[in-house]
């Protein structure tokens, strides 16, 4: 009897779904895409309506053969790849290969649970050609930009990098945004200003702090610009009081000290609502996981994928724990709204439940793909406490974050009582601010962390956690302490991964499925570094951005990229067509290419003088002489990079010929060699200053494994086979159990040293103390 075939992307997903469908179905994974554009050429016929030339991905032959065999024996074929544009395109590739349209149907699993799978199987549809066209257009546009623009980078900054550089429609704009922020920071001129604050005491000896708010009815404000003309400054002073330097602060300070009587002239209390956050969408999940859990966007998506595809829950078996994690919709199904409202009422009480469900859907839904719901737990039965023993620590923390955010999104707002106390003495007005939680609402389950804004430290300095109870108008206060404090305005903050994702989303750049890829790509390409979680452009990144913005200003900008995203969305919605969108993009782009083509200096062959061209081989891109076969000169990017680098001298001399020695990089890591190589072949390993603990004769050196992972071994290998994955440090164990310790790291402790014998641990500050003593 023929069965029904269900095709999904991953083995984990196949295993979970197979559990729910029973013996009448065969569930088979494709393991991702089965077709792609070719690596060695453009793969797009721009003269023939931008027809893509997709080829089967290397290594997918066996997968295709298997699904063809299964399909030929199946009654029906259900393609259940991920419910987004990428999944739709994979579905179309599968359909093209199987060539069995009459048997093929498309199903979407927004959640991989028994009810979710059964519901999806009851409402199959045809493959959405609009979504496929939208994905194809995005892929082709990205390929054209990357393929046509990258050579300008290779030829322009090849001496700065040992690898082929890349440009991209979205990644290059993300780099531009980061570089633009860095320019703002570099040009920023700090503005000095001062503040005056006082500590007042009641007759009951209760004290609180207040900031000088106005003088003679004029507000005390920071000077608005670093540089002002005298005329502008005088106009500013007509409306405000600026304490721009220490002299002005001291003059006001002395005048206030002369005052004897301070009275409360007003006590203002008002309630403010803090509304619950919306359930997670892809961008907010990545941003919040980065901020709270210190997770990289890519790591967040990998963990979320596992939670979506299914986790083994003991006697419960395989269960998908969250809905599909690539979405920009905050919509929640009515069924789940009802379920979560019952949960809130039973768990927290009626006062935490709003009269009607909270609606977090965006009013302007122009850029929102509403195909499926927000990211939420699939069942409230599987609480964080229930699943904790079945999840690793990071997966648990991410699931708990998603769970709490979803519950909080349907709870009542928190009510905060804000108190403002005004204290006056003649022309001087001080204000004290305090707030208290009157009703915690959604904060009962979801602790809200407010991101600190620029120059927020000064404002927080004057905010009281509590204001004394019973303060009344006309109440006399004692001036207990008066202080003046210097401040400087701060430059714009550098982006974190979290804030960069928010920036891209706010500008309409990229889509849920691409955010982690964008952030990861610019880091992998060495265009940016992360220091203390701040994203900083590298020298290479700045140079790449400079070249791209100079030569392609109309392509590498936020407005163009956002408008292209909009047009791609129009294709998905059936409001535009593939050929028109790509033509609208390609015509100005090709003009820009022609305009700059002759401006880039050609790379000449150092053997015959002909131009070198970029080719793609088994091991990546390289330069080859156009005079082939007469000239067979080729150069790797690493060779050109090496030629342009200054040697890194060790300060020592060669033991063979007396010349200087330099640091070099080889197959097994860094080593020391003679600068006269190949005339002199002297080499030696770089010692870590630790004698081999096994043989006592050699020294410990750094090596690289076949998989390019660093480890440490004896310089006398293969005569001595000592190895360690941890870096030995020439620091004796405090207990005298070892002449060296190993460098370790953990998220909780940071960097520390550990004895390989007795496991004694030393923190960095303890190492300094040992060295000093």
């Amino acid at each position: 009897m023929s069965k029904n075939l269900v095709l999904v992307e991953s083995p984990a997903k196949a295993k979970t779904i197979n559990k729910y469908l029973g013996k009448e179905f065969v569930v088979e994974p494709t393991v991702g895409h089965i077709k792609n554009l070719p690596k060695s050429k453009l793969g797009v016929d721009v003269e023939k309506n931008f027809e893509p030339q997709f080829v089967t991905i290397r290594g997918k032959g066996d997968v295709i053969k298997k699904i063809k065999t299964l399909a030929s024996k199946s009654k029906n074929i259900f393609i259940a790849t991920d419910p987004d544009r990428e999944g739709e395109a994979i579905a179309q590739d599968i359909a093209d290969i199987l060539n069995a349209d009459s048997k093929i149907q498309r199903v979407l699993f927004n959640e991989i649970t028994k009810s979710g799978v059964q519901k999806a199987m009851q409402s199959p549809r045809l493959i959405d050609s609009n979504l496929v066209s939208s994905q194809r257009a995005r892929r082709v546009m990205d390929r054209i930009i990357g393929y046509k623009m990258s050579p300008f980078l290779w030829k322009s900054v090849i001496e700065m990098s040992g690898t082929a550089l890349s440009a991209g429609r979205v990644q290059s704009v993300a780099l531009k945004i980061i570089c633009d922020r860095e320019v703002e920071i570099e040009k920023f001129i700090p503005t000095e200003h001062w503040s005056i604050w006082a500590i007042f005491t009641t007759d009951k000896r209760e004290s609180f702090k207040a900031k000088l708010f106005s003088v003679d009815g004029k507000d005390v404000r920071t000077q608005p610009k670093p540089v002002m003309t005298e005329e502008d400054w005088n106009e500013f002073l007509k409306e405000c009081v600026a304490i721009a330097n220490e002299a002005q602060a001291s003059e006001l300070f002395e005048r206030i000290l002369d005052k004897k009587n301070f009275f409360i002239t007003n006590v203002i209390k008002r309630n403010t609502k803090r509304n619950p956050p919306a359930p997670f969408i892809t961008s907010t999940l990545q941003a919040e996981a980065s901020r709270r859990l210190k997770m990289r966007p890519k790591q967040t998506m990998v963990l979320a994928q596992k939670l979506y595809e299914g986790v083994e829950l003991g006697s419960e078996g395989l269960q998908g724990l969250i809905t599909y994690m690539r979405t920009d919709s905050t919509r929640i199904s009515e069924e789940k709204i009802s379920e979560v409202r019952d949960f809130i009422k039973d768990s927290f009480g009626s006062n935490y439940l709003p009269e009607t469900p909270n609606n977090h859907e965006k009013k302007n839904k122009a850029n929102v793909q509403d195909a499926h719901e927000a990211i939420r737990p699939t069942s409230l039965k599987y609480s964080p406490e229930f699943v904790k023993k079945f999840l690793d620590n990071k997966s648990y923390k991410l699931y708990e974050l998603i769970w709490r955010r979803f519950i909080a999104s349907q709870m009542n707002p928190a009510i905060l009582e804000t108190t403002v106390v005004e204290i006056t003495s003649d022309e001087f007005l001080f204000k004290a601010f305090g707030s208290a939680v009157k009703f915690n609402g959604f904060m009962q389950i979801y602790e809200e962390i407010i991101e600190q804004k620029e120059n927020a430290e000064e404002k927080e300095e004057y905010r009281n956690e509590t204001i004394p109870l019973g303060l009344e108008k006309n109440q006399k206060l004692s001036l207990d302490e008066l202080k003046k404090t210097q401040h400087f305005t701060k430059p714009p903050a550098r982006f974190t991964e979290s804030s960069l994702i928010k920036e891209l989303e706010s500008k309409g750049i990229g889509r849920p499925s691409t955010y982690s890829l964008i952030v990861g790509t610019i880091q992998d390409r060495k265009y940016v570094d992360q220091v203390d979680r701040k994203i900083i452009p590298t020298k290479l990144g700045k140079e790449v951005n400079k070249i791209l913005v100079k030569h392609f200003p109309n392509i590498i900008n936020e407005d163009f990229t956002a408008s292209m995203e909009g047009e791609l969305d129009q294709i998905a919605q059936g409001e535009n067509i593939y050929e028109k969108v790509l033509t609208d993009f390609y015509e100005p782009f090709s003009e820009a290419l022609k305009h700059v083509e002759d401006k880039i200096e050609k790379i000449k062959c150092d053997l015959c003088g002909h131009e070198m061209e970029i080719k793609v081989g088994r091991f990546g891109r390289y330069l080859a002489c156009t005079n082939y076969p007469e000239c067979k000169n080729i150069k790797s990017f690493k060779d050109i990079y090496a030629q342009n680098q200054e040697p890194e001298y060790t300060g020592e001399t060669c033991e063979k010929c007396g010349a200087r020695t330099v640091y070099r990089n080889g197959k097994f890591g860094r080593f020391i060699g003679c600068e006269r190589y190949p005339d002199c072949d002297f080499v030696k390993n770089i010692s870590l200053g630790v004698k081999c603990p096994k043989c006592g004769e050699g020294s410990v050196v750094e090596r690289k494994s076949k998989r390019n992972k660093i480890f440490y071994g004896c310089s006398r290998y293969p005569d001595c086979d000592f190895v360690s994955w941890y870096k030995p440090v020439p620091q004796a164990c405090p207990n005298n159990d070892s002449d060296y310790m190993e460098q370790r790291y953990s998220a909780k402790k940071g960097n520390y040293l550990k004895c390989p014998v007795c496991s004694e641990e030393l923190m960095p500050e303890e190492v300094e103390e040992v060295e000093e003593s």
Side-chain angles (χ1 to χ4, degrees), residues 68-333:
K68 275 186 172 182
T69 302
L70 290 170
S72 66
K73 301 174 183 177
S74 300
K75 182 168 60 175
N76 293 297
I77 303 166
F78 298 94
I79 303 179
T81 46
D82 285 350
D84 57 15
R85 294 178 196 176
E86 208 71 26
E88 208 72 20
I90 295 174
Q92 185 62 61
D93 288 340
I94 294 170
D96 292 342
I97 284 173
L98 296 181
N99 194 23
D101 291 348
S102 61
K103 295 200 293 185
I104 291 176
Q105 298 179 80
R106 174 88 166 109
V107 290
L108 305 178
F109 296 140
N110 185 52
E111 59 180 72
I112 304 179
T113 59
K114 187 174 183 178
S115 61
V117 169
Q118 290 175 346
K119 185 178 178 181
M121 293 300 291
Q122 290 167 9
S123 53
R125 62 166 173 78
L126 297 176
I127 294 172
D128 190 326
S129 59
N130 290 330
L131 288 179
V132 175
S133 293
S134 177
Q135 191 276 344
R136 297 276 197 260
R138 181 186 300 276
R139 185 74 186 89
V140 166
M141 194 181 292
D142 289 345
R143 168 55 68 96
I144 290 172
I145 289 178
Y147 199 89
K148 298 281 190 179
M149 286 172 60
S150 294
F152 290 101
L153 293 178
W154 303 338
K155 293 174 183 178
S156 301
V157 292
I158 197 170
E159 74 282 352
M160 293 181 65
S161 173
T163 58
L165 306 174
S166 73
R169 180 178 60 90
V170 180
Q171 76 184 50
S172 298
V173 175
L175 177 62
K176 178 182 180 293
I177 289 170
I178 294 165
C179 289
D180 287 349
R181 176 63 58 88
E182 196 67 19
V183 170
E184 287 182 57
I185 293 168
E186 289 169 357
K187 288 183 176 179
F188 183 80
I189 301 172
T191 302
E192 180 186 12
H193 62 283
W194 289 69
S195 60
I196 295 175
W197 59 277
I199 293 180
F200 292 106
T201 307
T202 67
D203 54 4
K204 296 179 180 178
R205 302 309 299 165
E206 296 172 312
S207 62
F208 61 98
K209 56 190 176 185
K211 180 185 177 183
L212 178 63
F213 191 79
S214 68
V215 181
D216 287 323
K218 293 181 181 180
D219 289 351
V220 176
R221 291 186 186 170
T222 304
Q223 184 178 346
K225 295 178 183 177
V227 179
M228 294 181 70
T229 64
E230 187 175 348
E231 185 178 346
D232 288 342
W233 179 246
N234 290 332
E235 283 298 315
F236 177 70
L237 291 179
K238 286 179 183 178
E239 301 176 3
C240 311
V241 174
I243 316 177
N245 52 53
E246 187 173 10
Q248 292 173 349
S250 296
E251 190 267 334
L252 287 172
F253 188 87
E254 295 301 324
R255 284 168 57 189
I256 294 168
L257 280 180
D258 287 340
K259 301 298 177 182
K260 305 298 181 187
N261 298 315
F262 292 88
F263 295 93
I264 294 175
T265 50
N266 208 354
V267 179
I268 305 164
K269 290 183 181 288
R270 58 174 176 266
N271 291 335
T272 57
K273 280 200 305 185
R274 187 170 291 173
N275 289 319
F280 282 127
I281 59 177
T282 307
S283 59
T284 54
L285 175 63
Q286 291 177 358
E288 201 72 348
S290 173
R291 201 155 61 99
R292 289 174 179 260
L293 308 178
K294 306 297 184 284
M295 286 184 186
R296 302 283 298 276
K298 184 177 180 180
Q299 182 186 32
T300 299
M301 296 309 289
V302 168
L303 295 175
Q305 182 90 31
K306 291 178 181 176
L307 295 173
Y308 162 71
E309 291 180 345
V311 174
E312 191 70 52
L313 299 180
S315 60
E316 295 283 324
L318 271 170
Q319 299 290 341
L321 291 180
I322 65 170
T323 51
Y324 190 56
M325 63 286 158
R326 292 187 179 92
T327 177
D328 51 10
S329 170
T330 55
R331 180 175 59 83
I332 299 294
S333 69

Side-chain angles (χ1 to χ4, degrees), residues 3-7 24-28 67 70-71 74-79 98:
K3 295 188 177 184
N4 297 303
L5 176 63
V6 180
L7 296 171
E24 294 180 10
F25 292 85
V26 174
V27 186
E28 186 66 26
I67 64 174
L70 290 170
S74 300
K75 182 168 60 175
N76 293 297
I77 303 166
F78 298 94
I79 303 179
L98 296 181

Side-chain angles (χ1 to χ4, degrees), residues 407-688:
I407 303 296
S409 72
Q410 287 302 318
M411 294 176 74
N412 265 324
I415 306 297
L416 281 71
E417 183 181 76
T418 304
T419 303
V420 182
V421 181
E422 297 180 354
I423 304 106
T424 304
S425 180
D426 297 330
E427 72 270 33
F428 297 106
L429 170 65
F430 287 82
K431 285 188 179 182
F433 299 87
S435 63
V437 177
K438 203 170 182 180
F439 171 67
N440 60 1
F442 74 92
M443 293 167 64
Q444 172 74 15
I445 192 170
Y446 190 81
E447 179 190 0
E448 192 174 37
I449 300 174
I450 306 296
E451 274 194 292
Q452 199 173 60
K453 296 180 180 178
E454 293 168 25
N455 301 310
E457 295 90 342
E458 180 191 342
K459 293 178 183 177
E460 288 302 312
E461 185 179 349
Y462 306 103
R463 189 167 294 280
N464 297 274
E465 291 184 8
T466 56
I467 295 280
L469 297 173
L471 295 181
E472 297 178 350
K473 191 174 180 179
N474 298 323
Q475 183 177 347
K476 188 175 181 181
L477 300 173
S478 301
L479 177 61
D480 209 34
E481 188 178 351
L482 191 66
K483 288 187 177 182
K484 58 180 185 292
T485 308
Q486 183 185 39
H487 307 278
F488 289 94
T489 53
K490 292 185 177 181
R494 288 189 172 98
F495 288 106
T496 60
E497 288 183 328
S498 167
S499 61
L500 179 61
I501 289 169
K502 285 184 179 178
E503 184 77 3
L504 292 172
E505 185 189 27
S506 70
K507 292 180 179 291
I509 296 169
R511 283 297 176 261
S513 60
T514 63
Y515 291 131
S516 65
L517 185 63
I518 294 165
V519 176
T521 299
I522 56 176
Q523 293 186 60
D524 293 341
R525 291 288 177 184
K526 310 297 183 191
Y527 295 163
V528 299
D529 282 333
Q530 270 207 80
V531 180
D532 295 331
R533 301 185 68 237
K534 304 291 184 184
I535 299 176
I536 304 171
T538 61
K539 183 181 177 183
L540 175 62
K542 289 179 181 179
E543 191 62 28
V544 165
N545 178 65
K546 181 180 173 184
I547 291 166
L548 291 177
V549 171
K550 178 183 177 182
H551 293 301
F552 303 97
N554 296 325
I555 305 296
I556 307 301
N557 72 60
E558 293 91 324
D559 292 340
F560 172 81
T561 306
S563 68
M564 284 296 100
E565 293 286 4
E567 291 196 37
L568 292 168
D569 290 342
Q570 288 173 3
I571 297 175
Q573 294 153 14
E575 298 170 1
N576 212 328
I577 60 173
Y578 176 92
E579 293 82 1
K580 184 180 185 304
V581 169
L582 286 172
T583 300
D584 291 345
F585 147 72
Y586 189 71
E587 287 179 354
F589 177 66
S590 59
E591 283 299 313
L593 280 172
K594 290 175 187 175
H595 184 68
V596 301
E597 211 159 27
D598 297 327
K599 294 185 179 181
I600 303 297
E601 187 179 343
K602 310 295 183 187
I603 300 173
K604 300 295 183 181
C605 174
D606 54 359
L607 296 183
C608 71
H610 280 73
E611 185 182 346
M612 301 283 279
E613 64 179 352
I614 297 158
K615 289 187 173 291
V616 180
R618 275 186 67 190
F619 302 105
R621 297 178 177 92
Y622 65 94
L623 289 172
C625 182
T626 55
N627 195 28
Y628 180 86
E630 282 73 19
C631 179
K632 298 180 180 179
N633 187 21
I634 62 171
K635 284 185 180 291
S636 71
F637 283 87
K638 289 183 179 179
D639 289 341
I640 300 169
Y641 172 69
Q643 288 173 10
N644 287 278
Q645 298 306 299
E646 285 290 327
E648 188 181 351
Y649 295 105
T650 65
E652 300 174 355
T653 56
C654 173
E655 296 173 15
K656 267 192 174 183
C657 70
R660 292 179 296 181
T661 55
V662 295
Y663 290 108
R664 297 191 188 280
N665 288 292
K667 185 178 179 181
F668 300 108
R670 274 165 65 91
F671 65 95
I672 294 171
C674 181
E675 68 171 339
R676 293 181 59 245
Y677 177 83
D679 296 328
C680 177
D681 61 358
F682 170 75
V683 294
K684 74 172 184 177
N685 290 310
I686 301 171
S687 173
L688 299 178

